[in-house]
DNA sequence: CGCTAACCGAGACGGTACGTCATGTCTTAAA
DNA sequence: TTTAAGACATGACGTACCGTCTCGGTTAGCG
C-alpha cells in the first residue's frame, strides 16, 4: 500500500523528465534514446510518446521543468549595472549544467525541427529578449538613453555575440566578455578607460555609444 | 565499355559529395543517411567510410566542395561600404541553397561533435572573421577608426546578431538588417538620420559609434 | 436520456459478440484484437476480460451465439439419405460465413490452447459426432447395417476426410465430395455404377462397404 | 582466428533454424518470438527477416530442416502390410517431437496464411499423399485391388481420420487406431475377425472393403 | 603482356533504436 | 455497483541505419 510503484498521470510526466535530465547529463543529449529514458524512468515508451511527439519535444519540456531562477531584471536605476547583473545570471544559467548542454542540444534540434525552433523562441528566447528590451525602454523613458535608441537592435547586439561564442567558437562564455560587450554598447569600442573612471562619470556617459570620439 | 560504371579514386569522392549535396537538398541534411548517399552515388558504404569518419565529416567536405565565390573584402577605401559589400555577399551565400541548409546542419552537428566544431572554426568561421578583423585593422591604421577601436569585438558585434537571426529566431536575414547593424556600429543606435545625410557627411563620421550624442 | 449509450449486463455481452463477429468477417479472426472489439462494441476492455478469459474464449462464445440451424438427423428410415441430408447441412454451415472462418480460427487456436480444444470437442465436435453415431446405431439396430458395424470408426471415416479437406488441402468442400465418401462407406470404393442402379437396389446394399467385389 | 563468430550465409540460416527448433520445443511454437530466436541464434532480426517473410515461413523451413527419415513406402508385395508399415512410421514422426508440435503449429498457421497452406500441401502433405496413391495404384495394377478402386478417396479415408484425431479430438494417435482404419478399408467395418484369420486368408481378401457382408 | 595487389560495388551481418501495436491490469468518473 | 474511458508496464513487431566485414570482379602498374 505504501510503495505505489506509480500512480497518476503527472507523476509519470515528472519521472520521465527527470530521467531525461539525468541521462542527458550522463551520456549527452545527442545520444539520448527514448528507449533508455523509458527504462530509466520505469515508464513505457508508449507513455512517453503519449505526451511528447518527438525526442526534441521531450528535451524541451525537460528544459522548462528545470526550476530555473527567475531571470527578471533588477531595477537599481542604473541601466548598465542592471543589464550586467542580469546578463551575468543568464550566462551562468545557459553555460552550466544542466541547462547549458540541454539548451545547446535544443538549438541544434531547432535547426531541423521548426516546431522546436518556434517553441524555443516563444518560451525561451522571446520572453528573455522582451525583458531586455523592456528594461532598455524604461531607461530610455527615464532619459538615460537617447530617445531614438534602437532597443531591439541593442538587444541583438547584446545577445548575438554571446550565442556566437556559445554555438560557434564554443569558447567559454565569461562575465568579462559580457562586460566587454556592455562597455562597447555604452562606453564605446575604444580603449575603455573605465577602470580609472569614477562610477559617477561612467553613469553620466550612459548614452549608448560604441566608441569614444576618434583621436583627432 | 562505353558506360564506365565507375572509374578511379578521386572520381568516387566527387560522386559521393555530389550525392550528398543532392540528397541534402531533397530530404534535408538531418535525415541524410550514409546508406542513401552510397546508393545514390553508386558507391559502397565502405568506400564512404574509407574517406570520411562520420556523416558530419562528409557534410563538411561537401560544404567545402561547393564552389563558393571567394569572399574577400574589397578595398575601396571606404570601410563601411566595403564591410557592407562583403557582409551582404556572405549573408547571401549563407542564406541561400545549397550552402545555407548545409551550413546550419553543420553548426547543428558541431553542438555535439567537437571535431566538427573545430573544423568549422578553422576552415570557415575563423578565416572569414580574420578577414573582417584585417579589413578593420587596415581602416584603423589608415585613421578611419579610433586607434583604440576593439577590432575583435567589432567583428563579434557584426557577426553575432547575424548568427542569432540565422540560428535562433530563424527570421530571414536581409541586407537591410545587415545595414542596421553596420549603422549601429558606425553611426549609432539612435534615430539614424542617414537618409537625409550626404554621403560625405556619413563618411566623416566613421569612427565607430552606436549612438548619437544623447539629447542634451 | 434517449440515446442510452449503454445499459446493463447482458446487453454488453451481446454487443461484444456482435462486434467480434463483424470484425472477424471484416479483417479475419486471426487479426482480431480485443482492443478493436472493445472499440467497435463501445465497451471497455475490462468488460470483455470480465466475461472471457481469452480471445479464443470470446471467439468460442461468438461461435455459439450464431443462431445456427439445429443439425439434428432426420429419420426417414433410409440411413444413407439421412446421413447425406445431415452432412450436407453440416458442410454448408461449416463452410460458409460466418461460421466457417470462425470455426477454422477456433481449430487453429485449439492447437495451442487445450481449453479451447476441450470446449470445442465438448460443445461442438462431440455432440455432432454423437448424433451421427446414434443415427448409425439406430440403423444397425434396425438391421440396415451389420451387427458388427464399427459405429465410431464409421463416424471418423465420414468426418475425417471432410476436416482433411477443410483444414489441410483447403479445397472447396462440396456436396459431391460428401457423396463420394458416403458411397465409399456404403457402396464401395469401386466404379460406383450408382447412376444406373435403381434406388431400391442401392438401398438393399446399404451394408457398409467401400468396394465392390473385386473383379474375379 | 579459430573462433570465427560467424561466417557465411548458410551458416546463419542453419543457426537460426536450430534456435527456432530449440525454442519451439522449450516454450512452444505459438509463443515463439522472432526476437527470442534472433537472440538465441546470435543473429540480428534483420538477418531473419532477410530470409523469411514471416514467423510461419521460418517455422516451415525449420520443419523441413529436421532430418526426417525418408518416408518411402516399402514394397513387400503385400499392400496392407506396406501401408501399415508406412503409416505407422508417418504417425510416429508426426506425433513425436520435434516434428509433431511444429507440424500442428504450422497447420494452425495455415488457417490464416494461404502461403503456408500452399507450401504445406506442396512440400509435405501432397508428396506423402502421392506416395500413398502410387502404392495403391501399383497394388491395383497388380490385381490386388479392384480395377475401379478409388485411389484418391482411399487415401483421404486413410489420412482424414488421422488428422481428425491429431487436430480435433487430440487424443493420442496410436498404431492400433491406424490398424483399425486399415482393417476398415480392406477388411470391413464389421467384427474384424482378423486375429484368428491366417495371413493367407487375409491376403486373399485384400479387395478394398469396409464391411463384411451383412448378416443375412 | 601477364600477374598481382589494390580497390571497388555489393550487400550480409550484429547491433541499436525507432515508433507502433496489442496485451492484460489498473484507476477514475459518470450513471 | 457496473460501466466506458483510457493510462499504464510490458514486450514484440517489422523497419531503418549504423559501422564492420567478407565477397568477387575489375583495374593498374610492376615485372
Amino acid at each position: 500500500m505504501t510503495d505505489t510503484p506509480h500512480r497518476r498521470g503527472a507523476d509519470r510526466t515528472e519521472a520521465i523528465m527527470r530521467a531525461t535530465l539525468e541521462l542527458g547529463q550522463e551520456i549527452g543529449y545527442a545520444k539520448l534514446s527514448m528507449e533508455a529514458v523509458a527504462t530509466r524512468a520505469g515508464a513505457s515508451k508508449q507513455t512517453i510518446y503519449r505526451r511528447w511527439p518527438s525526442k526534441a519535444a521531450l528535451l524541451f519540456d525537460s528544459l522548462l521543468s528545470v526550476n530555473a531562477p527567475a531571470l527578471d531584471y533588477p531595477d537599481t536605476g542604473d541601466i548598465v549595472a542592471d543589464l550586467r547583473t542580469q546578463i551575468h545570471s543568464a550566462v551562468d544559467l545557459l553555460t552550466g549544467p544542466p541547462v547549458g548542454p540541454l539548451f545547446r542540444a535544443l538549438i541544434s534540434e531547432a535547426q531541423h525541427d521548426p516546431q522546436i525552433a518556434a517553441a524555443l523562441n516563444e518560451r525561451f528566447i522571446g520572453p528573455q529578449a522582451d525583458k531586455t528590451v523592456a528594461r532598455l525602454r524604461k531607461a530610455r523613458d527615464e532619459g538615460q538613453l537617447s530617445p531614438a535608441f534602437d532597443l531591439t537592435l541593442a538587444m541583438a547586439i547584446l545577445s548575438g555575440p554571446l550565442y556566437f561564442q556559445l554555438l560557434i567558437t564554443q569558447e567559454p562564455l565569461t562575465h568579462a566578455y559580457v562586460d566587454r560587450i556592455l562597455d562597447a554598447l555604452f562606453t564605446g569600442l575604444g580603449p575603455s578607460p573605465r577602470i580609472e573612471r569614477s562610477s559617477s562619470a561612467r553613469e553620466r556617459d550612459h548614452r549608448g555609444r560604441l566608441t569614444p570620439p576618434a583621436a583627432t
Side-chain angles (χ1 to χ4, degrees), chain A residues 137-153:
Chain A
R137 174 174 298 116
K138 182 158 177 294
R140 192 181 63 183
D141 292 347
E142 290 172 351
Q144 296 180 28
L145 296 171
S146 152
F149 190 86
D150 187 334
L151 306 171
T152 309
L153 196 57

Side-chain angles (χ1 to χ4, degrees), chain A residues 82-102:
Chain A
D82 290 354
L83 286 171
R84 187 188 322 267
T85 304
Q86 214 274 348
I87 297 178
H88 282 181
S89 300
V91 159
D92 289 347
L93 180 66
L94 293 187
T95 289
V99 170
L102 186 39

Side-chain angles (χ1 to χ4, degrees), chain A residues 38-211:
Chain A
T39 302
R40 171 74 65 103
S44 78
K45 284 198 287 176
Q46 192 74 285
T47 299
I48 300 182
Y49 282 109
R50 234 192 303 271
R51 285 172 172 66
W52 297 277
S54 67
K55 189 170 87 174
L58 170 58
L59 290 187
F60 187 80
D61 271 13
S62 300
L63 176 59
L64 286 182
S65 81
V66 173
N67 228 337
L71 288 177
D72 285 319
Y73 278 86
D75 186 354
T76 64
D78 181 345
I79 175 66
V80 176
D82 290 354
L83 286 171
R84 187 188 322 267
T85 304
Q86 214 274 348
I87 297 178
H88 282 181
S89 300
V91 159
D92 289 347
L93 180 66
L94 293 187
T95 289
V99 170
L102 186 39
F103 186 57
R104 277 177 58 186
L106 274 168
I107 294 175
S108 175
E109 290 293 304
Q111 303 312 311
H112 39 259
D113 185 336
Q115 298 214 321
I116 289 300
L120 213 45
N121 272 291
E122 273 172 43
R123 312 278 301 268
F124 240 83
I125 311 290
Q128 203 55 34
D130 290 347
K131 284 180 191 165
T132 305
V133 169
R135 183 65 189 83
L136 286 168
R137 174 174 298 116
K138 182 158 177 294
R140 192 181 63 183
D141 292 347
E142 290 172 351
Q144 296 180 28
L145 296 171
S146 152
F149 190 86
D150 187 334
L151 306 171
T152 309
L153 196 57
M155 187 275 296
I157 285 174
L158 283 170
S159 308
L162 301 181
Y163 285 100
F164 184 70
Q165 193 107 339
L166 182 70
L167 304 174
I168 311 289
T169 69
Q170 302 192 10
E171 287 161 9
L173 241 175
T174 62
H175 285 197
Y177 188 62
V178 172
D179 292 348
R180 279 177 68 198
I181 299 168
L182 277 169
D183 282 348
L185 238 197
F186 293 104
T187 310
L189 275 171
S192 330
R194 62 194 136 90
I195 294 165
E196 303 87 7
R197 287 163 125 208
S198 70
S199 68
S200 65
R202 191 154 72 250
E203 190 172 338
R204 239 182 292 124
D205 235 24
H206 287 169
R207 309 267 170 193
R209 43 169 58 207
L210 275 179
T211 56

Side-chain angles (χ1 to χ4, degrees), chain A residues 21 30-31 38 154 196:
Chain A
L21 292 173
K31 292 180 194 160
E196 303 87 7

Side-chain angles (χ1 to χ4, degrees), chain A residues 14-25:
Chain A
E14 200 193 341
I16 291 164
M17 293 193 306
R18 184 164 44 245
T20 300
L21 292 173
E22 285 174 22
L23 278 168
Q25 289 186 259

